[in-house]
Amino acid sequence: QTIRRDLNLLAENNQIQRHHGGASLLGNSVVNDSYANRKIKHQAEKQQIAHQLAAHIANGSSLFLDIGTTAETIAQALLKHRDLRVVTNNIHVAKLLMGNSDFEVLLAGGVVRSRDGGIVGEATIDFIRQFRLDYGIITVSGIDLDGSLLDFDYHEVRITQAIIANSRTVILAADHSKFGRNAMINIGNIAQVDHFYTDRALPQDIASIVQKENIQLRLCPALNSL
């Protein structure tokens, strides 16, 4: 009861966000963390997610990979595959995948963001819409407790929506830091995802949606958390 009262008081003072079964810190919903900071955060978690996700991708597959440090970690984990066809709007992903001469890498055109090597714009969306690929691997900045998939950049969101629309199977990769995290733009809902790779048990609200929508959940705990 004392803990509950303290949580309620913190929520009333806008210091935390209360939700069913617990609470979470309020985050900045307007500006994402810097690329350099995101590059070093939760590395072990991202690597384990990437390792298990890559095991799901068969040789000879075609796939989308989007912007972000998680996508780059997944690209690294895919390097031992054979005969992949990868469409990406991430310069870092394209550079990593060049390490395997057996891959065909298609880099979308558009405006290059100097802060993170992402490529965005109408030309990027038009490029992605030309394809119908086996897998669309998407990453997000936040997952609201109602299942909303969130991000900070409107242009990036539209690209993710295009990837979802043009993939036979949609795979979401997100570590636990994205649970309940605020971001101002709605990509869509987790119900649009077929597979979800993450490192920790989901908050109950999100877990209920995943179960209801029959999303294939794969928990990939980092080795240092076992």
Side-chain angles (χ1 to χ4, degrees):
Q1 292 299 322
T2 301
I3 293 172
R4 188 174 292 110
R5 283 195 299 269
D6 288 346
L7 290 175
N8 288 336
L9 179 61
L10 288 169
E12 289 170 5
N13 292 330
N14 292 319
Q15 293 175 281
I16 64 170
Q17 174 180 287
R18 288 282 276 129
H19 54 77
H20 179 70
S24 57
L25 292 173
L26 291 172
N28 188 336
S29 66
V30 178
V31 180
N32 200 0
D33 200 1
S34 71
Y35 175 77
N37 284 342
R38 286 183 284 126
K39 190 76 173 168
I40 61 175
K41 283 184 176 179
H42 307 295
Q43 283 185 317
E45 291 86 346
K46 292 174 184 176
Q47 288 170 358
Q48 190 64 15
I49 289 168
H51 174 73
Q52 294 202 33
L53 192 157
H56 179 93
I57 305 299
N59 292 323
S61 298
S62 59
L63 56 125
F64 292 107
L65 267 174
D66 65 3
I67 299 171
T69 58
T70 301
E72 292 162 27
T73 308
I74 293 167
Q76 184 71 47
L78 288 168
L79 280 176
K80 293 183 179 179
H81 278 58
R82 299 190 309 275
D83 195 30
L84 294 185
R85 302 295 177 264
V86 183
V87 176
T88 185
N89 63 320
N90 186 330
I91 284 177
H92 301 298
V93 163
K95 185 176 180 180
L96 281 165
L97 295 178
M98 283 171 57
N100 187 327
S101 60
D102 198 37
F103 291 174
E104 181 178 329
V105 182
L106 294 90
L107 185 62
V111 178
V112 180
R113 298 194 310 206
S114 59
R115 67 177 185 267
D116 62 2
I119 302 173
V120 297
E122 292 299 321
T124 315
I125 297 168
D126 289 342
F127 184 82
I128 287 170
R129 285 174 175 165
Q130 296 179 81
F131 301 93
R132 181 70 173 168
L133 302 188
D134 297 324
Y135 300 102
I137 301 173
I138 63 170
T139 61
V140 296
S141 295
I143 306 173
D144 207 340
L145 296 172
D146 67 356
S148 296
L149 304 177
L150 306 174
D151 219 313
F152 294 91
D153 188 314
Y154 172 71
H155 299 95
E156 191 170 339
V157 163
R158 294 189 62 208
I159 291 164
T160 304
Q161 290 170 341
I163 290 174
I164 291 171
N166 290 280
S167 301
R168 295 183 180 90
T169 300
V170 179
I171 302 175
L172 171 63
D175 67 71
H176 69 275
S177 68
K178 307 303 192 299
F179 302 162
R181 186 184 182 205
N182 290 331
M184 64 179 289
I185 305 172
N186 189 3
I187 299 169
N189 195 276
I190 200 168
Q192 296 171 271
V193 168
D194 299 298
H195 300 267
F196 182 14
Y197 285 75
T198 190
D199 62 300
R200 292 189 190 174
L202 306 179
Q204 185 56 51
D205 303 59
I206 300 174
S208 296
I209 299 169
V210 166
Q211 184 175 17
K212 177 183 176 183
E213 300 295 335
N214 199 29
I215 298 165
Q216 299 300 305
L217 177 66
R218 177 63 64 90
L219 293 181
C220 318
L223 297 179
N224 59 13
S225 68
L226 294 176

